[in-house]
Amino acid sequence: MPALNTNGPGFDPDVDRMLEDDNESPPYSPTEEAQDPDVVWRGSLAMSSIADFPANAKHVGGANFASFGPWSRLIPKRMTVAGRIPQQSAIEYLCSLRYSNLTDIVVVSITPASAGSRPEFSKLVDYFISKNRYGVVGNKVAGNVRDTYLVPVPAGEDGHPEFMLNLVDNYIPKSRAEPMLLAQQQQQQQQQPPAASRPGRGATR
């Protein structure tokens, strides 16, 4: 049997090994996150000494900002909690906005970006529930955003935040196996007259 000529053109052991590796590798498959068209924001959420984790968001109520522009113009890449506000004060203020024709309410649901981020997410939600407070996000990317509140929603039946019941579009599940964290933003369409007073921002923890 003639010897195999390994010195001629067309023979490259390194290329052959690469081709063998390619044949053994599983086909490329996009991640579940990349396949989810409902994700409108990817970034991070932090509150000093409580939690800091990568997160995603989906639109779950109120105006859909996609009709105005990209979501990156509404939600900062990194949301930082700057304070707290008593839950009842926030509810009264948010419910009063149903009578305003100049303010759009936008609500997204914040979720941890991975299973490894869930403990930090749970710590933040549990903190707000135990303190009976909403979080107040300090940074913003749009000048016409008045406030951004972080609203914990416990697991269980019903229990929707009262202001959500005033919205035409409310996609929060009636029954929830796990708690949710909403980010609620008030987007001002134009300069409003100083009619209704707004609740003050809560002091930092």
Side-chain angles (χ1 to χ4, degrees):
M1 180 176 180
L4 178 64
N5 180 8
T6 61
N7 296 321
F11 183 86
D12 189 329
D14 292 332
V15 172
D16 286 349
R17 279 194 295 271
M18 291 172 62
L19 292 174
E20 289 175 1
D21 291 341
D22 287 344
N23 291 335
E24 295 173 359
S25 301
Y28 169 75
S29 177
T31 63
E32 181 179 348
E33 176 182 310
Q35 292 176 332
D36 191 344
D38 294 330
V39 173
V40 299
W41 172 85
R42 294 181 175 89
S44 62
L45 176 59
M47 181 173 183
S48 178
S49 76
I50 301 296
D52 189 340
F53 58 94
N56 299 329
K58 296 181 180 182
H59 176 243
V60 293
N64 188 338
F65 191 77
S67 61
F68 301 102
W71 284 88
S72 59
R73 287 173 46 192
L74 181 70
I75 308 176
K77 187 68 174 176
R78 179 172 175 82
M79 288 194 288
T80 304
V81 179
R84 306 175 306 171
I85 185 171
Q87 180 174 311
Q88 190 56 40
S89 298
I91 289 174
E92 291 174 1
Y93 165 59
L94 295 175
C95 286
S96 73
L97 295 179
R98 67 183 298 185
Y99 304 109
S100 172
N101 295 324
L102 301 177
T103 303
D104 287 321
I105 301 298
V106 181
V107 186
V108 298
S109 173
I110 304 294
T111 56
S114 66
S117 303
R118 182 158 291 280
E120 292 282 291
F121 170 84
S122 298
K123 281 171 56 179
L124 187 61
V125 174
D126 292 344
Y127 173 83
F128 287 133
I129 291 177
S130 67
K131 300 295 185 181
N132 201 30
R133 295 288 191 272
Y134 287 175
V136 181
V137 174
N139 53 323
K140 61 180 70 176
V141 291
N144 63 336
V145 172
R146 301 183 69 178
D147 286 304
T148 299
Y149 294 151
L150 296 179
V151 181
V153 182
E157 294 283 336
D158 297 321
H160 287 200
E162 188 176 346
F163 69 87
M164 290 295 296
L165 303 178
N166 296 330
L167 301 178
V168 175
D169 296 323
N170 176 5
Y171 307 121
I172 298 179
K174 177 180 175 64
S175 178
R176 300 167 303 280
E178 297 181 344
M180 299 178 64
L181 183 64
L182 308 180
Q184 188 272 4
Q185 293 187 314
Q186 307 113 49
Q187 183 190 17
Q188 196 170 351
Q189 296 180 7
Q190 62 185 59
Q191 185 65 37
Q192 284 186 307
S197 60
R198 298 164 53 205
R201 292 173 181 248
T204 55
R205 66 181 299 278

